[in-house]
Amino acid sequence: EPEVTQTPSHQVTQMGQEVILRCVPISNHLYFYWYRQILGQKVEFLVSFYNNEISEKSEIFDDQFSVERPDGSNFTLKIRSTKLEDSAMYFCASKEGINEKLFFGSGTQLSVL
Amino acid sequence: DQQVKQNSPSLSVQEGRISILNCDYTNSMFDYFLWYKKYPAEGPTFLISISSIKDKNEDGRFTVFLNKSAKHLSLHIVPSQPGDSAVYFCAATLQTGANNLFFGTGTRLTIIP
């Protein structure tokens, strides 16, 4: 079965540094998402992306966050200046159509020191 | 903001018996409900869903029940198998195909052989 691929699986960074989390959604999918899960807490929506623009974002997704689809296959999440509270598992997800099921990647564990 | 709640962090069930996972929600505007399953080091995987116009949806060993008046849904797994051991997340959305899934905190199900 096709899958959403995320790299790296683990990322350690210093507070204040920029990080880019990378995702390769399933090739024929049109809707792209980032979610995150802080340890012990629920999975939370960050942002959705469709037709080369953000379609919806949560309160978490402030000016420090940005997303990009630089080419036809990659979908990235950038955190400009990381904070300790950004430490979490970040999940990329994609789906083929608006009413189709969502496929998640295996996540990138971000640790901000 | 706990719009979707899973009050049991863990559940152990004997192999072959029924597993019942529960979920409550507070937002009466939720229109579509989903269950996801998550193994360690993997992303959530879609399991089964139900629209608010239904009270039951069945797919093989998995059945989801929705009680709108009680704002409660449950996932039944019959019979339970060792491979069902995972964390199960309940999720809800304001409409089918909406971008933002609201997740519960998950229930860790352990099937005892």
Side-chain angles (χ1 to χ4, degrees):
Chain A
E1 185 172 78
E3 58 182 26
V4 176
T5 306
Q6 288 186 246
T7 55
S9 56
H10 293 86
Q11 173 95 44
V12 181
T13 190
Q14 294 289 325
M15 189 171 58
Q17 294 296 304
E18 174 184 287
V19 293
I20 297 176
L21 308 182
R22 302 181 191 279
C23 170
V24 179
I26 295 172
S27 60
N28 62 334
H29 285 191
L30 301 176
Y31 296 81
F32 313 112
Y33 304 83
W34 284 99
Y35 281 79
R36 79 173 186 190
Q37 184 180 24
I38 295 171
L39 186 63
Q41 298 185 24
K42 59 186 176 179
V43 177
E44 298 175 292
F45 168 78
L46 293 179
V47 66
S48 60
F49 192 87
Y50 170 71
N51 201 25
N52 285 319
E53 61 183 21
I54 291 173
S55 47
E56 188 174 347
K57 59 183 180 180
S58 71
E59 292 176 353
I60 303 168
F61 194 88
D62 61 21
D63 292 344
Q64 294 299 314
F65 291 86
S66 62
V67 289
E68 195 176 36
R69 188 153 163 82
D71 52 43
S73 60
N74 291 283
F75 180 51
T76 62
L77 174 69
K78 183 192 293 187
I79 309 174
R80 196 178 335 151
S81 176
T82 50
K83 302 189 281 275
L84 295 176
E85 54 264 39
D86 293 329
S87 295
M89 178 71 85
Y90 287 80
F91 293 106
C92 174
S94 69
K95 61 182 181 181
E96 185 177 357
I98 191 68
N99 291 323
E100 300 299 317
K101 68 179 184 182
L102 198 57
F103 289 82
F104 284 85
S106 55
T108 293
Q109 179 65 55
L110 176 65
S111 298
V112 182
L113 306 179
Chain B
D1 178 17
Q2 292 283 332
Q3 296 196 57
V4 179
K5 303 176 192 177
Q6 293 176 258
N7 292 319
S8 299
S10 63
L11 176 69
S12 294
V13 174
Q14 205 77 35
E15 181 180 358
R17 306 294 288 267
I18 182 171
S19 295
I20 300 176
L21 297 106
N22 293 303
C23 177
D24 297 293
Y25 62 95
T26 55
N27 190 340
S28 57
M29 299 300 291
F30 283 144
D31 192 50
Y32 194 67
F33 304 88
L34 309 93
W35 283 94
Y36 281 81
K37 175 179 177 180
K38 185 182 181 302
Y39 293 119
E42 294 184 14
T45 303
F46 171 78
L47 199 55
I48 192 169
S49 62
I50 187 166
S51 165
S52 63
I53 61 173
K54 295 187 174 182
D55 55 19
K56 177 182 174 181
N57 188 27
E58 191 172 351
D59 183 3
R61 296 186 298 114
F62 303 92
T63 303
V64 55
F65 294 91
L66 175 63
N67 182 335
K68 282 190 70 177
S69 60
K71 295 193 181 71
H72 177 84
L73 65 156
S74 61
L75 174 68
H76 293 210
I77 307 173
V78 182
S80 301
Q81 299 174 354
D84 296 330
S85 294
V87 177
Y88 288 78
F89 292 98
C90 171
T93 186
L94 293 171
Q95 62 187 63
T96 307
N99 288 314
N100 188 352
L101 287 178
F102 294 85
F103 281 87
T105 50
T107 296
R108 181 177 301 279
L109 175 66
T110 302
I111 304 302
I112 304 164

